Amino acid sequence: MQRLKFPKGFLWGAAGSPYQTEGNNTNTDWWAWEHSHKRVEHLEKQGKDPKAYFSGIACDSYNRFDEDFAIAEHLSHNATRFGIEWARIEPRQGYFDESILDHYEKMLQSAKAHGLTVFLTLHHYTLPKWFAECGGFEKQENVRLFLAYVKKVSKRLGEYVDFWITINEPEVYASHGYFFKKYPPQIRSLSRCIKVVNNLILAHNQASDILKFNTGKPVSMAYQLSDLQPASFLGRITTAVAHFLANSYILERTVGKSDFIGMNYYTHHHVGLLGFRKKSGTGHILTDVGWGIHPEGIERVLLSLKKYNKPIYITENGVADAKDMLREKYIKEHLQFVHSAIAKGADVRGYLYWSLIDNFEWSEGFIPRFGLVEIDREDLLRRKVRYSATKYAEICKNNYLEM
Ligand code: BGC
């Protein structure tokens, strides 16, 4: 058996996001979309029960956060990633609800009391309804509205935050909302998608200055980076284009303002000449959501980041696996390649599994189960630690992996 040691002080933990876990985020564009006539009708036409796709009470983590952090501590995590919901904090433009800020302060204090280093996300897909209604990130002049929120929360909550994540997966947010029509506002327009991307870049770069000035803590986006490999000789051209669009366009324009690189890694794609992206599953074991498992890819992506000369934290990596048959192997194999990337010079300093608890998986509802901890939706959202979580806990505790 081989023992793979991780660098001293390595951060171990799991991640989540407010909309997916808190419940009752009624003031967001997502909530409005979930309940919209168009969305409900669409699900019914597919023979699905719309109720299974309402986020509702989610995991009730708005009230049960202390229980969740206690589980993380029990599982030997020393770090956590979660977010705060802008729509709760600023329910109307310019009005910041102090009672909600008090709530998030308690939540941050709880994370600290459980010995967790905190990565705090400020924007994870959802928007306050009022912000979406005035054009959201499509309008450059709206960036200042996001910055006002950033200013407020950095002053009020900054003392508890160790790492800031300004925006989660800007490439997914823009492409799914403004091109693939998967997420609200379900638009298909390349020009509008590009506008959103450029405004998110601006938002990050300016937010980074504010966060550093007000708190002095390191800042990054959580970039979703995929391993893209040509499916054929000619596919090398489309791979280069796909790599530019999916991985490097935003990163190159924001990395100068990021103190570390927050990296979310899930998928590997074979890129063909015409197909742009072939199924990620080609030739690999598939997760419950049909994504191919490809741990080698994480090493390639990490090594591609070496040139930026910044510390890297893996802010998401995980598997939808309701039966808990794949998760232990998934984590261990990915970590094996993370270890190998470190040995080859990638400055990786932490790993946050996605996710701590089963949660609301956006347009897929509650069906995909990514959690280290099961949420029993038939039994008052009872938290049940999965076997794989205990195996991951051993790695967190030891700071090494045995293969
Ligand atoms: C997102 C999460 C999501 C996960 C699994 C990531 O792209 O940041 O919100 O739940 O992937 O799909």
Side-chain angles (χ1 to χ4, degrees), residues 5 24 47 120 167 286 343 371 387 394:
K5 287 194 184 151
N24 293 324
L120 193 75
I167 296 165
L286 301 184
Y387 175 74
E394 285 171 14

Side-chain angles (χ1 to χ4, degrees), residues 20 124-125 168-169 224 266 291 316 354 361-362 370:
Q20 294 177 272
H124 197 125
Y125 295 173
N168 180 68
E169 298 185 346
Q224 193 189 94
Y266 289 94
W291 301 348
E316 285 184 33
W354 181 273
E361 182 51 25
W362 305 113
F370 281 84

Side-chain angles (χ1 to χ4, degrees), residues 137 143 146-147 166-167 170-171 174 193-208 221 223 245 248-258:
F137 282 109
V143 168
F146 175 68
L147 297 177
T166 53
I167 296 165
E171 53 300 287
C193 180
I194 292 170
K195 268 191 205 154
V196 172
V197 165
N198 288 328
N199 290 333
L200 292 173
I201 290 171
L202 192 68
H204 169 75
N205 290 344
Q206 298 192 356
S208 172
M221 285 177 147
Y223 304 92
L245 293 174
S248 57
Y249 183 86
I250 296 178
L251 181 62
E252 297 270 329
R253 283 159 184 76
T254 50
V255 74
K257 289 282 184 187
S258 293

